Amino acid sequence: GAVVSQHPSRVICKSGTSVKIECRSLDFQATTMFWYRQFPKQSLMLMATSNEGSKATYEQGVEKDKFLINHASLTLSTLTVTSAHPEDSSFYICSARDQVDEKLFFGSGTQLSVL
Amino acid sequence: QKEVEQNSGPLSVPEGAIASLNCTYSDRVSQSFFWYRQYSGKSPELIMSIYSNGDKEDGRFTAQLNKASQYVSLLIRDSQPSDSATYLCAVKKFRGGSQGNLIFGKGTKLSVKP
C-alpha cells in the first residue's frame, strides 16, 4: 500500500520556539496533502489543505501565520508551528491523497509537547 | 447536527463475536465513505472504502451503506483482541469550502475481550 512518511515522530520544545514537521509521500505523487490536529480522546480536526505550488487553504479558526505550510513538490509538504506555546501541544498528523484514486493515506503522526 | 456522527463507545465484545460499528452522516449527496482504524497514539489506517449501496466484504470486514438512511456501518467478524482500537468513519465532503476533503466522525472505541 501507499506510504506516507512523517518526521519527526515526537518533539519537545520550549515555549516560543518554532517546530517544523515534514510529510512525504514515498511511492506516489500527491498534489494535495492535509494537516490534522488531534487532542487526546478527540477526533481528527482538519487544520489546512496543502496544495502543491500554491498557497494552503486553512480551516476556520486556524491561524495561517502561526501554522506555516509549504508544499514545494509533489511529494513533500511541511508544517511549521511558529512561536509554539503549551496550548499547541497536540498530535499532528498529515495525510496525502493518491492522485489515482480518492484514498487518503496518513503519516505516522508527530506528538508535539511545548514546555 | 454534526456532519458525521458515531457512538463513542466503548463497545465491548467477546473474542470471536461480531462487532458492529455504526455511522450516520448529514450531507445527503455524499458519495464516498471510508472506515479507518486508529490504535492509541498512532495515525489512522484505511480499512475499507465503499461508494455504492449494499455490502462490501474484505476478509473479516464488511462495510454496509444505505444512502437513503444516510447510514454506513462496519462489521467485524470473528473479532480478535488485536482489533481493539478506535474506528473512524469518514465521509467525503460534497459541498462547502472544504469540498473534496474527508470529514471524520469522533470514532468508536472497540474493545475485544479474550
Side-chain angles (χ1 to χ4, degrees), chain B residues 30-69:
Chain B
S30 297
Q31 298 292 321
S32 306
F33 308 88
F34 305 86
W35 282 99
Y36 287 83
R37 177 175 61 198
Q38 186 177 24
Y39 292 110
S40 181
K42 304 293 184 183
S43 61
E45 57 179 322
L46 180 66
I47 298 177
M48 296 278 287
S49 58
I50 186 167
Y51 307 97
S52 304
N53 276 329
D55 294 1
K56 179 181 178 182
E57 189 174 316
D58 184 0
R60 295 188 295 114
F61 299 98
T62 299
Q64 299 175 317
L65 175 61
N66 184 327
K67 292 184 179 180
S69 301

Side-chain angles (χ1 to χ4, degrees), chain B residues 2 15 25 29-30 40 54-55 57 63-64 80 93 107 112 114:
Chain B
K2 292 186 175 65
E15 185 175 355
Y25 58 94
V29 297
S30 297
S40 181
D55 294 1
E57 189 174 316
Q64 299 175 317
Q80 301 297 310
K93 193 174 175 70
V112 180

